[in-house]
Amino acid sequence: MGMEIKTIGVLTSGGDAPGMNAAIRAVVRTAINKGMRVLGIRRGYSGLLTGDAFEMNLRSVSDIIQRGGTILYTARCPEFTTEEGQDRAVKMCKELGIDGLVVIGGDGSFRGARDLSVKGIPCIGIPGTIDNDIAATEYSIGFDTALNTVLQSVDRIRDTSQSHDRCSVVEVMGRGAGYIALHSGIACGALSVLVPEVPYDFQRDIVDKMKKTLKAGKQHFVIIVAEGVGHTQELTKRIEEATGITSRLTVLGYVQRGGVPTARERIMASRLGYRAVELLANGIGNRVVGLQRDEIVDYDIVEALKMVKHFDIDLYKMANVISL
Ligand code: ADP
Ligand code: F6P
């Protein structure tokens, strides 16, 4: 790229995630320590269209590392998916004096960043979504905190499930991906984990497992279902009818999107934010930063968007063996 980047913008886009503030903090602190100016853009790409920007300094990001949500707010901005909207965003960047942009969000946000890059605004994507469904990275900001929120909630549900000898079906988030379901299912010791990536057989994967373990003395059950599988109310009813065990559904919903970021979350977000600014400071744009085998990596944004994330079927099989 070679271009001298002196002023950067930073925004959060798409679904918010705990840890985004830690990333914003790392971006601001790293940039200012490299002699750059930082403009915070509010409400994702819509902030670029409305010019909702403000200068940030070292103190702008004090006392936020421990807070969920995003101090820059986030939004979905359909207008930005149009050529006209993007051209307006580029014009606004020029008016604001922004030479480079850090976008914290998911795949959709990265597509927007790609389009801006093509139009001459160097962008770096930082993966931020609790779904952890971004192919270019093993970790996206929000995932660890969401897992721990599910854990705390399911541990509570276990108490009442045990007291009543019940089957508790718990629906978790993930849009179209089963990463929260798989990892929380293992951590919670769920009897079965249902994910959109792997078709399941109601009789074999649920009813037979419950009956088999009942005989072995198991008295209550937790089943984790990713929201992408769907029909959890009906599934819960079918389980009760098929097994005679009282079954109750809990849809965890938006508690998974908030909360105090975990230590791993804050460290990951800080490392990703730091690398994003290092790239821009070296005049490098159009990249996505990520984690691969505990190393911070970066990929060309177009390449990153072409990558396909492979569901860990071995981990899925393990989950279903150790739950019996
Ligand atoms: P996430 O970034 O979490 O995947 P979305 O898919 O909702 O969230 O995308 C967030 C925003 O990114 C959208 O509101 C839109 O402004 C922008 N965006 C999404 N897809 C595209 C696209 N194909 N081209 C340009 N911008 C996009
Ligand atoms: O992408 C993160 C996520 O929380 C998904 O898990 C969920 O399906 C979706 O966002 C909900 O979208 P919204 O916040 O727009 O209702």
Side-chain angles (χ1 to χ4, degrees):
M1 187 74 64
M3 164 181 190
E4 168 92 17
I5 293 174
K6 298 179 69 59
T7 299
I8 64 170
V10 56
L11 62 84
T12 46
S13 170
D16 76 316
M20 282 187 165
N21 281 329
I24 294 166
R25 173 177 175 276
V27 165
V28 172
R29 295 272 169 91
T30 308
I32 289 174
N33 280 294
K34 286 177 180 292
M36 300 157 107
R37 284 180 66 228
V38 184
L39 294 182
I41 314 286
R42 294 190 183 91
R43 294 182 174 79
Y45 291 118
S46 53
L48 273 187
L49 299 180
T50 60
D52 189 357
F54 66 105
E55 175 120 22
M56 298 184 83
N57 60 40
L58 296 176
R59 299 286 60 82
S60 311
V61 289
S62 297
D63 299 323
I64 68 166
I65 194 165
Q66 78 283 8
R67 286 172 52 198
T70 160
I71 60 166
L72 293 177
Y73 307 94
T74 181
R76 295 195 161 105
C77 178
E79 198 180 346
F80 189 72
T81 56
T82 67
E83 188 85 23
E84 190 272 334
Q86 291 165 12
D87 289 340
R88 281 177 52 210
V90 170
K91 189 164 171 291
M92 181 59 72
C93 285
K94 303 256 185 266
E95 281 171 22
L96 293 169
I98 288 173
D99 311 317
L101 187 67
V102 175
V103 173
I104 306 168
D107 278 323
S109 301
F110 290 175
R111 285 186 189 86
R114 172 206 57 203
D115 296 348
L116 278 181
S117 297
V118 166
K119 290 175 179 286
I121 306 290
C123 292
I124 305 289
I126 296 180
T129 169
I130 64 167
D131 300 353
N132 201 28
D133 60 348
I134 298 173
T137 179
E138 288 170 359
Y139 189 85
S140 69
I141 294 167
F143 183 57
D144 190 59
T145 304
L147 284 186
N148 282 283
T149 299
V150 172
L151 217 52
Q152 288 157 14
S153 308
V154 173
D155 286 353
R156 290 168 187 271
I157 291 168
R158 262 182 181 280
D159 291 343
T160 177
S161 195
Q162 183 176 13
S163 306
H164 287 266
D165 298 320
R166 280 176 172 171
C167 170
S168 295
V169 177
V170 181
E171 179 187 312
V172 296
M173 280 188 157
R175 199 152 47 176
Y179 300 102
I180 295 178
L182 175 58
H183 289 79
S184 61
I186 294 168
C188 302
L191 176 79
S192 297
V193 177
L194 306 184
V195 294
E197 293 88 345
V198 183
Y200 73 94
D201 178 279
F202 177 72
Q203 189 64 35
R204 179 197 66 204
D205 298 326
I206 298 180
V207 177
D208 294 351
K209 280 179 88 171
M210 285 175 71
K211 287 184 173 170
K212 186 176 166 187
T213 49
L214 258 174
K215 282 203 187 73
K218 200 173 177 75
Q219 288 168 287
H220 67 94
F221 307 88
V222 171
I223 293 174
I224 302 279
V225 187
E227 64 179 324
V229 171
H231 314 295
T232 44
Q233 193 70 45
E234 178 195 325
L235 172 69
T236 306
K237 194 164 173 297
R238 278 182 72 201
I239 291 172
E240 182 162 312
E241 285 162 0
T243 63
I245 292 172
T246 306
S247 302
R248 292 290 183 273
L249 171 65
T250 302
V251 178
L252 288 182
Y254 289 86
V255 294
Q256 298 164 91
R257 281 265 290 273
V260 175
T262 61
R264 172 165 161 72
E265 197 75 81
R266 303 180 200 191
I267 295 163
M268 281 312 312
S270 299
R271 292 174 70 189
L272 291 165
Y274 183 78
R275 172 63 62 85
V277 175
E278 272 190 325
L279 290 166
L280 288 174
N282 293 328
I284 300 166
N286 316 349
R287 310 288 290 182
V288 164
V289 294
L291 181 80
Q292 295 292 354
R293 280 173 290 288
D294 206 36
E295 287 292 316
I296 300 292
V297 296
D298 59 275
Y299 298 104
D300 173 84
I301 203 162
V302 175
E303 292 313 307
L305 286 168
K306 285 181 195 156
M307 291 176 186
V308 175
K309 191 152 189 161
H310 295 292
F311 187 75
D312 189 337
I313 196 69
D314 293 330
L315 194 62
Y316 177 81
K317 285 178 183 154
M318 182 209 82
N320 286 297
V321 165
I322 62 175
S323 63
L324 290 173

